């Protein structure tokens, strides 16, 4: 995983969008936003994933191949939906089996942080955080999605500032002393 501030230039979102000079974002800064990260590798990566899933009380999972072949005629439409700024009312947890892509999350100053993920990365976005996703120029990502309950993926597009999960997320940041 590599995280940095997004340059906000209006061109292909699948490009890296690195600011010049590059401004990296540390795993600690991401944790302060509620974003968790692990890199699972080796022969026991699925056992590691199972342990994390059990510890975080994830009961269900599915697998998705996000590519032109995997999504077929829905490819362009799905990528556009994934890249719309939104939040979810539950955590979004993704384990990258193969390929690469970008998760963008908003920081406390409403700036975009780009998180580049590749094979072996496991990322958890908290409920209520504004975010979006896109593939990179490789146009391929295979992912395991984990869920606490029945699998669902319901985006709530911004603005959703009065959503109770958004409000709870902001309150958790206030409680940590990071947000006023």
């Amino acid at each position: 995983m590599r995280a940095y501030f997004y340059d906000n230039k209006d061109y292909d979102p699948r490009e890296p969008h690195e600011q010049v000079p590059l401004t990296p974002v540390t795993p600690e800064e991401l944790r302060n936003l509620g974003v968790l990260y692990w890199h699972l590798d080796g022969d026991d990566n699925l056992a590691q994933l199972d342990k994390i899933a059990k510890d975080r009380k994830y009961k269900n999972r599915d697998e998705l191949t996000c590519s032109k072949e995997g999504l077929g005629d829905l490819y362009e439409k799905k990528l556009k939906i994934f890249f719309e700024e939104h939040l979810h009312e539950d955590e979004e947890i993704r384990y990258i089996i193969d390929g690469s892509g970008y998760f963008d999350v908003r920081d406390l100053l409403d700036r975009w942080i780009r998180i580049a993920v590749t094979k072996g990365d496991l990322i958890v976005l908290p409920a209520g955080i504004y975010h979006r996703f896109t593939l990179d120029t490789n146009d391929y990502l295979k992912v395991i999605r984990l869920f606490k309950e029945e699998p669902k993926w319901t985006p709530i597009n911004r603005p959703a500032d009065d959503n109770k999960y958004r409000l709870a997320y902001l309150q958790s940041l206030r409680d940590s002393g990071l947000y006023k």
Side-chain angles (χ1 to χ4, degrees):
M1 183 235 13
R2 203 165 59 87
Y4 51 88
F5 285 99
Y6 186 87
D7 70 5
N8 290 317
K9 300 271 172 46
D10 191 23
Y11 57 95
D12 188 350
R14 297 171 311 130
E15 296 291 335
H17 284 272
E18 297 171 329
Q19 289 182 351
V20 177
L22 183 66
T23 308
V25 176
T26 66
E28 180 181 359
E29 290 172 296
L30 291 174
R31 274 192 306 276
N32 288 341
L33 295 173
V35 177
L36 305 177
Y37 167 80
W38 294 263
H39 184 78
L40 311 180
D41 58 9
D43 295 335
D44 67 341
N45 58 349
L46 289 180
Q48 293 174 58
L49 179 64
D50 290 342
K51 181 181 180 334
I52 293 167
K54 182 179 178 187
D55 291 348
R56 297 187 66 78
K57 298 179 177 37
Y58 291 103
K59 300 175 190 167
N60 297 298
R61 64 181 69 186
D62 67 9
E63 208 171 279
L64 175 70
T65 299
C66 192
S67 67
K68 290 177 183 176
E69 294 77 27
L71 296 173
D73 293 340
L74 295 176
Y75 174 78
E76 294 293 335
K77 181 179 179 180
K78 285 291 189 185
L79 278 187
K80 187 175 181 177
I81 290 170
F82 294 161
F83 200 67
E84 287 289 321
E85 185 173 3
H86 63 276
L87 61 82
H88 298 287
E89 293 185 341
D90 49 3
E91 290 181 343
E92 180 167 334
I93 182 168
R94 303 293 184 257
Y95 172 63
I96 312 306
I97 299 170
D98 197 16
S100 49
Y102 300 113
F103 284 92
D104 298 335
V105 298
R106 290 284 190 180
D107 76 353
L108 299 176
L109 299 175
D110 214 30
R111 300 173 295 183
W112 282 117
I113 297 172
R114 173 146 279 190
I115 305 167
V117 293
T118 59
K119 181 179 179 177
D121 288 342
L122 173 67
I123 188 168
V124 177
L125 305 180
I129 192 171
Y130 284 125
H131 68 282
R132 60 190 183 189
F133 170 80
T134 191
L135 294 173
D136 62 15
T137 55
N138 292 319
D139 286 324
Y140 176 77
L141 184 85
K142 187 172 185 180
V143 64
I144 293 176
R145 305 183 306 175
L146 294 115
F147 306 92
K148 289 192 176 186
E149 300 301 330
E150 288 302 312
K152 64 180 179 179
W153 188 84
T154 306
I156 300 168
N157 289 345
R158 188 171 188 177
D161 295 332
D162 59 348
N163 176 280
K164 71 178 184 177
Y165 293 91
R166 175 70 182 165
L167 295 171
Y169 170 69
L170 294 175
Q171 186 61 49
S172 73
L173 296 178
R174 281 187 205 94
D175 293 346
S176 70
L178 295 170
Y179 181 75
K180 298 183 185 336

